[in-house]
Amino acid sequence: MAEVKVPTLGESITEATVGEWLKAPGEPVALDEAIASLETDKVSVEVNAPVAGVMGQQLVAVGDTVNVGAVIATIEEGAGAAAAPAAAAPAAASAPAAAPAGDVEAAALSPSVRRAVLEHGVDPSTIQGTGKDGRITKEDVVAAAQGKAAPAPAPAAAAPAAAPAGARREERVRMTRLRQTIAARLKEAQNTAAMLTTFNDVDMTAVMEARAKYKDLFEKKHGVRLGFMGFFVKAACQALKDLPAVNASIDGDEIVYHDYADISVAVSAPQGLVVPVIRDAQDMSVATIEKTIGDFGKRAKDGTLKMEEMKGGTFTISNGGVFGSLMSTPIINPPQSAVLGLHRIEERPVVRDGQVVVRPMMYLALSYDHRLIDGREAVTFLVALKNAIEDPTRLLIDL
């Protein structure tokens, strides 16, 4: 019998929460197959089987907090172990039994499948799984969302009783460890920093024209689409070089200045906001920046970002415009001292050379720690960013 232990979760992370069991007692397990999912302060981590055999006892239940190195389950080694029934531990008495083929309601969903379900907004109980033992795969979810697969009829007994007209309902859902950490860090930022936000707007005409002119050549040469974030990251790096206080942090009674720009990019994931870091962005081309951001976004949705990829960072860019935000006051990501908020682009009347014309405009917001950054520096930073975006061709296109 082999013990399954909580793996090392990363520097300074000593505990996690059991998110879900991916294998039920009595189910066959392959070597290195994921049997459980743990939620840490930053990402979900899968626990893999140390040996092949049959799933034995689950020593902890979903929602329990476990420490690194703790034994959370056992596995009966060898193919012959299937003949020996595995008794579930009392803590896991509520764990579901092995699901028969096709029974998608009882089958456990892997983290990637669960994220796909949340992303596409489909009901997993209506999907006919094509995976092993009738389990739902990520492809099944995508196909169901696109209407390519006929949904499996839900058992009649599973249909909930109709609620009376006008009934008021409440549902209590335990906060994930990631959501708890986000809440604590945001409140910490408000309690610690002397936070202030300054605004400006930027005419996106030049960037949009440059993008339209060079996008085909850019994609052909670099193998990635030319977006707006590459322009803003590059422009921010240049502005941070001229205004080092915006790229600095406070450590006790000292100010730490950085001669590099590690840009944190806020990315929305199914379980909450994550902020991976583009390291040494000041040395990157627009193409490399775009590739890095695209990779972060994809892996954030899949839940495969590594914890070390979200550590550090000297400055954050958050793009609420992708969700339609017109204006916001973003909150600083400690111990950083500033965060740039981008917003949606919309046509507005502006005055150019004495004439009222329509231009694609975007509001910019810089929230900063007034203990370190003066208003002059904050405004100068936004003006420098605005100037770079409004004249990007010579400075930002890597062609």
Side-chain angles (χ1 to χ4, degrees):
M1 182 176 68
E3 295 180 335
V4 180
K5 298 182 179 180
V6 177
T8 301
L9 302 172
E11 183 180 355
S12 76
I13 300 179
T14 60
E15 63 180 22
T17 301
V18 180
E20 64 176 332
W21 285 104
L22 307 179
K23 287 289 185 178
E27 286 191 306
V29 176
L31 176 65
D32 289 331
E33 183 178 6
I35 63 172
S37 175
L38 304 179
E39 294 178 352
T40 70
D41 292 351
K42 297 182 178 180
V43 294
S44 294
V45 178
E46 290 184 341
V47 180
N48 297 325
V51 297
V54 173
M55 189 69 182
Q57 294 180 325
Q58 295 173 349
L59 304 179
V60 293
V62 172
D64 286 355
T65 298
V66 291
N67 295 320
V68 172
V71 178
I72 60 173
T74 61
I75 294 177
E76 302 291 339
E77 298 184 56
S94 60
D103 187 354
V104 299
E105 289 188 315
L109 302 181
S110 69
S112 61
V113 172
R114 182 171 57 173
R115 280 184 285 273
V117 166
L118 294 174
E119 179 181 352
H120 293 283
V122 297
D123 182 359
S125 66
T126 64
I127 302 175
Q128 179 65 51
T130 60
K132 183 179 179 180
D133 297 329
R135 292 187 181 276
I136 299 174
T137 67
K138 186 177 179 180
E139 290 72 22
D140 295 333
V141 176
V142 174
Q146 296 176 345
K148 296 179 180 178
R168 287 150 48 98
R169 292 184 173 184
E170 291 183 352
E171 181 181 6
R172 291 181 180 268
V173 179
R174 181 173 178 174
M175 291 176 68
T176 64
R177 180 174 290 271
L178 175 60
R179 176 54 59 185
Q180 293 177 45
T181 301
I182 291 172
R185 287 179 60 82
L186 293 180
K187 190 58 182 173
E188 175 192 356
Q190 289 184 319
N191 293 339
T192 303
M195 197 154 55
L196 183 64
T197 304
T198 188
F199 300 93
N200 209 322
D201 62 1
V202 58
D203 187 341
M204 297 291 291
T205 300
V207 163
M208 295 176 72
E209 289 178 348
R211 184 170 180 262
K213 180 178 180 180
Y214 294 111
K215 64 179 182 180
D216 292 337
L217 289 174
F218 189 90
E219 185 170 2
K220 182 178 180 180
K221 178 177 179 178
H222 301 293
V224 64
R225 295 182 62 186
L226 178 59
F228 294 127
M229 279 296 289
F231 289 95
F232 279 101
V233 171
K234 197 69 177 177
C237 289
Q238 292 186 356
L240 292 173
K241 184 177 179 180
D242 295 334
L243 296 154
V246 184
N247 197 42
S249 60
I250 294 177
D251 185 9
D253 57 358
E254 295 180 332
I255 299 174
V256 181
Y257 292 97
H258 310 284
D259 68 351
Y260 53 88
D262 284 354
I263 306 297
S264 303
V265 182
V267 178
S268 180
Q271 70 273 27
L273 190 71
V274 293
V275 192
V277 180
I278 306 173
R279 307 208 183 268
D280 291 316
Q282 78 284 350
D283 297 329
M284 290 185 177
S285 66
V286 173
T288 304
I289 292 170
E290 289 287 1
K291 290 177 182 177
T292 303
I293 293 174
D295 177 60
F296 283 158
K298 180 180 182 299
R299 292 194 290 123
K301 291 181 179 180
D302 293 340
T304 57
L305 282 172
K306 299 177 181 177
M307 281 175 285
E308 55 266 26
E309 293 175 311
M310 290 180 281
K311 293 180 181 177
T314 61
F315 181 78
T316 294
I317 299 179
S318 178
N319 186 10
V322 297
F323 303 109
S325 172
L326 175 65
M327 187 179 292
S328 67
T329 55
I331 299 178
I332 296 169
N333 180 23
Q336 298 173 22
S337 296
V339 53
L340 174 67
L342 308 181
H343 303 90
R344 76 170 185 251
I345 302 170
E346 65 175 8
E347 292 188 337
R348 294 200 295 270
V350 296
V351 177
R352 295 288 185 268
D353 300 323
Q355 301 293 321
V356 177
V357 295
V358 176
R359 291 286 188 267
M361 304 296 294
M362 176 195 288
Y363 286 117
L364 305 176
L366 182 74
S367 292
Y368 59 97
D369 190 344
H370 212 338
R371 297 177 302 165
L372 174 59
I373 303 170
D374 295 330
R376 177 188 63 82
E377 293 169 313
V379 172
T380 302
F381 175 88
L382 279 185
V383 170
L385 191 74
K386 172 185 173 75
N387 291 339
I389 293 298
E390 291 184 346
D391 184 19
T393 305
R394 292 181 293 111
L395 302 175
L396 302 176
I397 299 297
D398 184 26
L399 289 175

